[in-house]
Amino acid sequence: MRQLIAGNWKMHGRLADAAGFAAAVKNAPAWADLLICPPATLIDRFAAALAGSPVSLGGQDCHALPQGAHTGDISAAMLAEAGASHVILGHSERRVDHGENNAIVRAKAEAAIAAGLIPIICVGETEAEREAGEAEHVVRSQLLHSLPPGFAGVVAYEPVWAIGSGRTPTEDDVAAMHTAIRAALVAQLGAAGGNVRILYGGSVKPGNAGALLALPEVGGALVGGASLSATDFLAIASAAPRG
Ligand code: 13P
């Protein structure tokens, strides 16, 4: 399966950044699927700038309900209408900053699927949980409670302590966790669990992407800081194994 290289811009990016980035990636030769998740305000602009390009767009969150009195929130259908095909859900920054638990993430995933979006559900342990030997247990529990039945989206393994820190788990630890996630997905979803792409996220850079993307059960990357540079994003994409 082709890998998926996804950029999560978080709360970065203004109109001029979107225009420059879109121009740089629009016609880039890629042997991986490319996805950019800018702030919601830029999706529509990106969609226009990327018309005819295979690069896809995603949101960074959506509400669990289709509409209503929820000031500041955005629905899955709104993201889809703006040009998104994917939405990141349950990122650790949302789980921490906005108190999102597994049940909320699951409800959001159901809303995303109902609106025709592909959810990218984030899981990952804190440093304390890893040090306590709890990492796989924590991630399995997040999968069990965050993924709706029949889930056919994407999972992103993002160890919380690796995000924005410049630190990554060892290659052995990434391989072990992705293998454990695959086993959990198959146990939970049956054969369909074998088709879910499992992205690695957390301090992915051009310099470490090749090694990380070559590991067993790594189906791509969810890139934060390095995705703000089109040069770095494309360098990471070009490190994906050609399958
Ligand atoms: P960094 O690549 O900046 O560590 O962020 C990872 C991330 O949180 C992507 O969702």
Side-chain angles (χ1 to χ4, degrees):
M1 199 190 311
R2 275 161 72 88
Q3 294 208 344
L4 172 64
I5 307 299
N8 175 8
W9 275 22
K10 309 190 177 184
M11 198 171 71
H12 297 282
R14 307 287 293 272
L15 284 181
D17 303 311
F21 191 95
V25 302
K26 183 172 181 172
N27 298 312
W31 35 92
D33 294 331
L34 301 184
L35 169 70
I36 183 77
C37 302
T41 50
L42 294 180
I43 293 175
D44 180 60
R45 299 290 188 114
F46 254 113
L50 289 173
S53 159
V55 179
S56 303
L57 291 166
Q60 299 176 11
D61 175 50
C62 70
H63 199 276
L65 294 173
Q67 74 272 312
H70 302 289
T71 302
D73 278 315
I74 186 158
S75 77
M78 293 170 185
L79 292 174
E81 208 167 51
S85 54
H86 292 66
V87 61
I88 298 169
L89 294 173
H91 192 282
S92 63
E93 288 152 15
R94 301 245 10 132
R95 289 180 188 259
V96 171
D97 296 353
H98 299 271
E100 293 188 6
N101 59 26
N102 292 324
I104 292 172
V105 174
R106 176 175 157 154
K108 290 182 171 197
E110 284 171 343
I113 293 161
L117 295 178
I118 299 169
I120 301 174
I121 297 193
C122 302
V123 295
E125 81 285 357
T126 63
E127 187 154 33
E129 288 163 342
R130 175 157 287 275
E131 280 170 1
E134 292 290 310
E136 285 188 17
H137 169 75
V138 166
V139 167
R140 264 197 302 272
S141 171
Q142 288 172 329
L143 291 169
L144 195 60
H145 299 292
S146 301
L147 268 51
F151 181 76
V154 178
V155 166
Y157 168 57
E158 298 207 306
V160 178
W161 52 274
I163 294 174
S165 65
R167 299 160 58 207
T168 58
T170 64
E171 290 171 19
D172 282 353
D173 284 346
V174 173
M177 182 60 87
H178 279 244
T179 302
I181 290 173
R182 177 66 69 209
L185 290 173
V186 170
Q188 204 172 322
L189 303 168
N195 298 327
V196 171
R197 284 202 271 211
I198 310 169
L199 312 184
Y200 169 78
S203 295
V204 177
K205 311 282 179 213
N208 62 16
L212 289 165
L213 293 171
L215 294 170
E217 300 295 358
V218 172
L222 182 54
V223 185
S227 75
L228 296 170
S229 154
T231 307
D232 285 357
F233 184 66
L234 292 175
I236 291 167
S238 70
R242 295 154 205 231

